Amino acid sequence: EKTRSGFLDKISKTLVGKDKVDDEVLDDLEEVLITSDVGVKTTLEVIRRIEERVARDKYVSSSELQNILREEITDLLIENEPGRPAEFDADLSNKPHVIMVVGVNGVGKTTTIGKLSHMYKEAGKNVMLGAGDTFRAGAVEQLKIWSERAGVTLIQQGQGADPAAVAFDTVASAKSKGADVVLVDTAGRLHNRKALMSELGKIKRVMGKVVEGAPHEVLLVLDASTGQNAMQQAKAFTEVVDVTGLALTKLDGTAKGGIVIGISHEMSVPVKYIGVGEKIEDLQVFERAGFVNALFSRQSKDN
Amino acid sequence: MFEDLSTKLESAFKSVSGQARLSDINVAETVREIRRALLDADVNYEVARSLTSAVKEKALGQGGLASVTPGQQFTKIVYDELVSALGQEQEEITFSQVPPTVILIAGLQGSGKTTFSAKLAKWLKDQGKNPMLAAADVYRPAAVDQLRTLASDIDVPVHSIAEKDALRVAKEAVSEAKKAARDVLIIDTAGRMHVDEHMMDEVSRIRQTVNATEVLFVVDAMTGQDAVNTARQFNKQIDFDGVVLTKLDGDTRGGAAISIRNVVDKPIKFVSTGEKMDTISPFYPDRMAQRILGMGDVVTLVEKA
Ligand SMILES: Nc1nc2c(ncn2[C@@H]2O[C@H](COP(=O)(O)OP(=O)(O)OP(=O)(O)O)[C@@H](O)[C@H]2O)c(=O)[nH]1
Ligand SMILES: Nc1nc2c(ncn2[C@@H]2O[C@H](COP(=O)(O)OP(=O)(O)OP(=O)(O)O)[C@@H](O)[C@H]2O)c(=O)[nH]1
Ligand SMILES: [Mg+2]
Ligand SMILES: [Mg+2]
């Protein structure tokens, strides 16, 4: 049976002692990366880097080589900025620390907010949620259930309300009540919908009128099963609301979410969280090494 | 991204041969370019590989056509391959001889099942049918609320129960539909991962219990390489009759459509293009092929040649 760890052994064996990578090995590497949704462009970038390293440090040992491969890919994933910690118990320099959550339809925004509020609360933070998706049927009710599960306060004005007004209200209320963390949900929207995207810009701007610099984090949620279109999503959302972090959901399936490598690299934005299920505790702080290992360690075929 | 495959192919020809004629060398380069375009469009790796080798054979078999450039000729061959891979004919849903026709909706989390269930109800209603909905997602917070809100806008009744038992909702809904003389019952189910044995078992039990007339697998058109794994698993467990491609109002190429057709050989029956209730339409293979290739004029151009 063909497994990805088998592939790593193979690539190491073929590469050791050579100053050029054979085409067959490159084809295999390409297969692993492409089938993980890394995309052609980033895959070529990884291959270029590997070839350069092999040409430079020839006669490397097998274990060194595996590390090189991992390193080169890990390197593309940019690191978190100290000003915006992903850890839930970290000290936050803003009070309240306002996080706006955005993304296309159905990626997992509301669920991720539910999980995040639980994590922050567990870490001793006082959390407040804003039901900024006033559009989708059942969206407010869905977030309400999450707020109850997590035991945090929800600010809402019901379906059909002006989302910017909800965001304004939430941040104002958090400020007056001395909340530590505010998470504002927004309706899913496709990035090519101009009017909806500019509405998002407006939602963002009003928060800054209540608390200086808010939102301090704009989290773009991406679904791990999404292919190359995620790059367009990241670009369009960044243009309008300046995305500062990524959350990659649904990694509990077989999709690898490799597109975040190119996004992180090209747009200089860190991946902060991963979603691994539908339960409240199914969220983890992103870890680069673990993510890269997972690209290679899981089986590439299910036959 | 590639905007126009044909332009790219044209330059591939020029860069390789300096002259625009079909030869082994420029064919290899062109095939690589096509493969890359397919991968950029999210066509699965294996599927792209087999498609390109089919294209290569056809191209070499045809030789050069005097009236079109090799780039155009290639594009046409790729396009024809895609259309045939996507299924030439437009396929309808099947209705049961004895009402109600039971339509089961299944798929991954967030793919658009609930929205589509309501849209389908409206579509059928507009065609003179008398549909009913069943809320068999007993897990997602406010799933029933969501379906009820959508259903009330289109004025279609929903069957739901307070208890968290999806099988029972579905079963009861069938008798409800019979009692109320509803001719179509659409059952919305919870999103589930293809690797979640327990949840996959649930949906296959629902399928058997309600003796579904039509089972539709709902897929997000933005899906990447993993589309083959999910489609294969869902098909294995519930042997669906058709595919629904959602969120095609975005700018995704939608290569997943090809990947799915390739691994399961089931027709794509509907596409969904928005959040509003009237954004549903039948599937047209030719439009999809053009979309995947990001082209428009080349096909008509070559067709006339
Ligand atoms: N398996 C799995 N399911 C997830 C994960 N995150 C979210 N989901 C599910 O994905 C579906 C959509 O999640 P939501 O949180 O409603 O997504 P959203 O982005 O808020 O959707 P809209 O507001 O409609 O745009 C739900 O069924 C969630 O339970 C995850 O990490 N793993
Ligand atoms: N733009 C666009 N959005 C869509 C389309 N279909 C569904 N959506 C949106 O996608 C999100 C998820 O849709 P749902 O119908 O809730 O998806 P689901 O498969 O029922 O989700 P779960 O029940 O959580 O698995 C919602 O925000 C919908 O409004 C579509 O064709 N285009
Ligand atoms: Mg939501
Ligand atoms: Mg649903």
Side-chain angles (χ1 to χ4, degrees), chain A:
Chain A
E1 196 174 54
K2 191 176 177 186
T3 63
R4 291 193 167 182
S5 50
F7 161 74
L8 261 193
D9 286 342
K10 182 178 162 199
I11 195 169
S12 309
K13 283 195 195 94
T14 352
L15 283 174
V16 171
K18 297 193 177 162
D19 54 9
K20 198 176 162 297
V21 192
D22 315 346
D23 285 349
E24 197 197 325
V25 174
L26 289 182
D27 280 354
D28 285 353
L29 176 59
E30 183 198 84
E31 179 172 356
V32 171
L33 297 177
I34 295 285
T35 57
S36 301
D37 290 313
V38 171
V40 175
K41 191 173 171 208
T42 310
T43 295
L44 292 176
E45 171 71 15
V46 170
I47 288 177
R48 190 187 61 77
R49 286 172 174 231
I50 302 290
E51 285 184 315
E52 248 177 50
R53 282 283 285 268
V54 170
R56 196 176 62 218
D57 332 324
K58 36 189 117 157
Y59 305 114
V60 287
S61 77
S62 163
S63 60
E64 272 176 310
L65 211 47
Q66 295 207 8
N67 288 339
I68 288 175
L69 183 52
R70 288 199 178 91
E71 270 169 38
E72 291 299 339
I73 298 171
T74 308
D75 220 41
L76 295 172
L77 288 158
I78 85 143
E79 279 184 276
N80 215 359
E81 299 160 52
R84 293 193 191 94
E87 287 71 28
F88 304 104
D89 55 359
D91 287 331
L92 297 166
S93 41
N94 307 291
K95 191 181 169 93
H97 179 73
V98 181
I99 304 171
M100 178 186 189
V101 180
V102 303
V104 300
N105 306 82
V107 287
K109 296 175 292 298
T110 308
T111 307
T112 301
I113 290 177
K115 295 170 180 175
L116 284 171
S117 55
H118 168 74
M119 300 292 178
Y120 276 118
K121 180 148 193 254
E122 291 285 287
K125 303 269 196 279
N126 190 323
V127 184
M128 203 172 265
L129 306 184
D133 180 357
T134 58
F135 177 75
R136 209 207 64 217
V140 175
E141 195 56 29
Q142 182 189 6
L143 190 63
K144 182 158 176 277
I145 294 171
W146 277 110
S147 73
E148 285 159 7
R149 284 183 184 173
V152 302
T153 311
L154 173 74
I155 305 295
Q156 56 122 335
Q157 296 176 5
Q159 198 180 337
D162 172 14
V166 176
F168 185 91
D169 241 29
T170 309
V171 179
S173 167
K175 188 181 172 186
S176 74
K177 301 217 169 79
D180 301 309
V181 178
V182 178
L183 291 150
V184 179
D185 195 11
T186 61
R189 67 201 73 218
L190 293 179
H191 52 286
N192 58 340
R193 295 285 303 276
K194 290 259 153 54
L196 294 179
M197 291 302 279
S198 74
E199 177 195 74
L200 203 63
K202 185 178 162 210
I203 299 172
K204 183 188 174 187
R205 282 192 300 276
V206 300
M207 293 190 248
K209 291 183 179 151
V210 193
V211 168
E212 164 94 33
H216 310 98
E217 175 100 80
V218 177
L219 204 58
L220 173 69
V221 181
L222 297 172
D223 182 328
S225 71
T226 304
Q228 300 309 299
N229 194 248
M231 180 64 86
Q232 264 86 269
Q233 294 171 23
K235 285 180 179 160
F237 277 96
T238 290
E239 210 163 276
V240 181
V241 290
D242 195 14
V243 171
T244 60
L246 306 173
L248 185 63
T249 61
K250 309 184 195 176
L251 274 174
D252 46 322
T254 48
K256 307 292 193 302
I259 187 68
V260 297
I261 297 171
I263 294 175
S264 180
H265 176 61
E266 280 185 40
M267 314 203 55
S268 279
V269 58
V271 186
K272 300 199 124 154
Y273 305 104
I274 60 170
V276 292
E278 299 188 81
K279 292 198 290 297
I280 201 161
E281 68 272 15
D282 291 334
L283 181 91
Q284 294 165 11
V285 170
F286 180 75
E287 213 230 313
R288 296 194 300 168
F291 179 78
V292 173
N293 281 338
L295 290 180
F296 295 103
S297 65
R298 281 184 258 165
Q299 288 183 5
S300 63
K301 297 235 162 59
D302 66 347
N303 46 309

Side-chain angles (χ1 to χ4, degrees), chain A residues 105 190, chain B residues 110-115 140 146 247 249 272 274-275:
Chain A
N105 306 82
L190 293 179
Chain B
S111 53
K113 297 174 294 300
T114 306
T115 309
R140 168 176 166 162
Q146 183 189 1
K247 308 181 199 172
D249 45 325
S272 169
E275 299 188 74

Side-chain angles (χ1 to χ4, degrees), chain B residues 86-300:
Chain B
L86 285 165
Q88 305 276 7
E89 304 280 302
Q90 199 185 302
E91 303 214 28
E92 314 257 315
I93 49 176
T94 319
F95 292 97
S96 162
Q97 303 286 340
V98 194
T101 292
V102 178
I103 306 177
L104 182 66
I105 310 293
L108 295 178
Q109 286 91 347
S111 53
K113 297 174 294 300
T114 306
T115 309
F116 178 75
S117 299
K119 283 186 194 180
L120 182 61
K122 179 170 188 300
W123 159 278
L124 293 170
K125 200 178 160 195
D126 289 348
Q127 290 176 7
K129 301 265 191 242
N130 192 17
M132 180 178 141
L133 286 155
D137 178 355
V138 297
Y139 306 101
R140 168 176 166 162
V144 179
D145 258 34
Q146 183 189 1
L147 188 63
R148 283 202 170 280
T149 306
L150 295 173
S152 86
D153 289 349
I154 55 167
D155 200 20
V156 169
V158 179
H159 180 76
S160 68
I161 59 174
E163 201 185 317
K164 293 205 175 306
D165 185 342
L167 205 63
R168 220 185 96 193
V169 186
K171 209 156 66 182
E172 281 184 13
V174 179
S175 20
E176 275 296 308
K178 277 183 193 148
K179 225 166 38 191
R182 294 275 159 180
D183 50 16
V184 183
L185 171 68
I186 301 164
I187 306 175
D188 179 29
T189 63
R192 63 201 74 224
M193 279 294 176
H194 54 294
V195 289
D196 185 334
E197 280 177 35
H198 176 74
M199 289 296 285
M200 290 306 287
D201 186 51
E202 180 198 73
V203 70
S204 85
R205 281 184 10 240
I206 294 176
R207 186 205 205 296
Q208 281 162 15
T209 308
V210 301
N211 191 18
T213 324
E214 178 89 13
V215 181
L216 296 176
F217 176 53
V218 179
V219 190
D220 187 324
M222 297 179 270
T223 309
Q225 296 288 318
D226 202 46
V228 293
N229 295 324
T230 54
R232 204 183 271 134
Q233 273 305 319
F234 269 91
N235 193 46
K236 207 159 119 187
Q237 298 270 347
I238 55 170
D239 188 21
F240 53 77
D241 302 291
V243 177
V244 177
L245 268 187
T246 63
K247 308 181 199 172
L248 269 172
D249 45 325
D251 56 4
T252 186
R253 293 274 177 217
I258 294 278
S259 311
I260 294 168
R261 284 290 326 214
N262 199 279
V263 295
V264 296
D265 195 28
K266 296 285 172 74
I268 298 168
K269 294 196 172 179
F270 287 101
V271 302
S272 169
T273 53
E275 299 188 74
K276 301 221 175 71
M277 286 299 107
D278 54 0
T279 50
I280 170 177
S281 69
F283 174 74
Y284 299 101
D286 50 345
R287 290 186 201 167
M288 194 68 216
Q290 288 174 25
R291 179 182 183 124
I292 291 170
L293 292 176
M295 61 187 214
D297 299 345
V298 178
V299 179
T300 20

